[in-house]
Amino acid sequence: MRKPISTVMKKKHPRGQRGLVEADLVEASLAEIERGGLDDFSLRCAARAIGCDAATLIYRFGSKEGLERAITERLHSEIQAPSEKQKWDKRLVELARQYRSLAKRYPQAFPLLLRFWTSGPRDLMIAEHWHRALADAGIPEAQIPAVGCATYASVLGLCTGEVCGLLGLPSAQSLSEIKDLDQFTLTRRLLPIFQELGAETVFETALNLLIVGVKTTYENKHKISQPHPSFHKIKQSNRKKI
């Protein structure tokens, strides 16, 4: 039977100053962010919620950034690696949907995932699976870093946009403002669609575009990277004229 994440983390992390377990400090800090928001989060407010002083958190994590990095790694721990028996596109979609669920569980803390290049081993494990999926899609290794960052950041940004309100339905005030502006003719015609457009539809549309984009780029890579044969004839003709 699979053990709860919190139990596993307590066994993995050593005890620090005053006998406090690092995983407990991270868990309590995560709860504090969800309670008060990321903008107002500080070492002092985390310390108050935990029942210790800020010096204890500095002792364990070095700084506020160190604590936030640990919280980010804690969030990544809830993402499960997909089976490599699945096709590459199914694996990416599975990971993307897990991140969407994670964003819904921790809407206040989720934007932390956009802050660090990596938060630790768990984050790197997910990155490894993401890169392997792209490699299985046929993306050359030299292009995987750019494609990986672009696709991964797109998914995290989409999830953040949803929990922050970007993918929500337009408010009555927004609708009223647009209706009063005659120059936005197309947007005004689209308003009835926007009023019924759910976040689920937007998310799945974005995922489809992402997957199709990777497939299309790979299928046409030779056409993109190599000039058409007629290009060389034109160059030769121009040289003769010169």
Side-chain angles (χ1 to χ4, degrees):
M1 183 176 178
R2 188 177 175 186
K3 297 180 180 179
I5 292 174
S6 59
T7 303
V8 175
M9 291 180 69
K10 285 180 181 179
K11 290 186 177 181
K12 285 185 177 180
H13 287 276
R15 290 184 177 273
Q17 189 179 25
R18 300 182 183 178
L20 294 173
V21 179
E22 183 174 307
D24 291 340
L25 300 177
V26 171
E27 208 68 40
S29 298
L30 174 57
E32 179 61 19
I33 290 176
E34 289 304 310
R35 185 197 67 80
L38 192 56
D39 290 340
D40 295 328
F41 181 69
S42 67
L43 288 176
R44 287 185 178 180
C45 70
R48 283 197 302 269
I50 296 168
C52 65
D53 53 30
T56 300
L57 296 179
I58 294 175
Y59 173 82
R60 291 303 304 155
F61 304 101
S63 63
K64 177 188 175 186
E65 181 177 319
L67 175 56
E68 290 178 339
R69 190 168 181 264
I71 295 170
T72 303
E73 182 74 351
R74 158 65 180 84
L75 293 175
H76 280 300
S77 73
E78 295 198 17
I79 303 297
Q80 301 300 312
S83 171
E84 293 196 344
K85 294 181 180 179
Q86 297 184 88
K87 292 184 64 176
W88 69 268
D89 53 341
K90 301 296 183 184
R91 280 140 59 192
L92 289 185
V93 168
E94 181 183 328
L95 285 171
R97 288 174 178 164
Q98 285 191 62
Y99 274 113
R100 185 183 181 219
S101 297
L102 184 69
K104 289 182 175 181
R105 289 195 296 276
Y106 305 101
Q108 298 296 329
F110 188 84
L112 282 174
L113 274 65
L114 295 166
R115 189 170 295 180
F116 302 100
W117 193 84
T118 179
S119 62
R122 187 71 186 185
D123 181 14
L124 289 173
M125 182 275 292
I126 298 166
E128 176 71 14
H129 281 277
W130 197 279
H131 295 154
R132 287 183 183 182
L134 294 176
D136 290 345
I139 303 297
E141 283 195 8
Q143 297 178 24
I144 287 177
V147 176
C149 287
T151 52
Y152 185 65
S154 296
V155 169
L156 294 188
L158 187 65
C159 295
T160 303
E162 180 175 357
V163 297
C164 289
L166 179 61
L167 305 189
L169 298 177
S171 65
Q173 180 180 354
S174 296
L175 292 173
S176 177
E177 290 174 351
I178 296 173
K179 288 178 180 178
D180 292 337
L181 299 172
D182 295 334
Q183 64 268 40
F184 304 127
T185 55
L186 177 56
T187 301
R188 291 175 63 186
R189 290 201 304 272
L190 295 175
L191 286 182
I193 301 175
F194 278 115
Q195 288 178 269
E196 299 180 358
L197 185 61
E200 178 83 19
T201 300
V202 176
F203 188 84
E204 293 300 323
T205 299
L207 281 187
N208 182 61
L209 289 172
L210 184 150
I211 297 301
V212 171
V214 171
K215 290 181 178 179
T216 303
T217 301
Y218 170 67
E219 290 171 357
N220 296 327
K221 66 175 182 179
H222 297 297
K223 297 179 182 179
I224 294 173
S225 60
Q226 298 180 6
H228 192 274
S230 62
F231 177 76
H232 298 290
K233 293 181 180 180
I234 294 172
K235 286 186 67 178
Q236 291 174 359
S237 176
N238 290 337
R239 286 176 181 173
K240 291 178 180 179
K241 290 179 181 179
I242 294 173

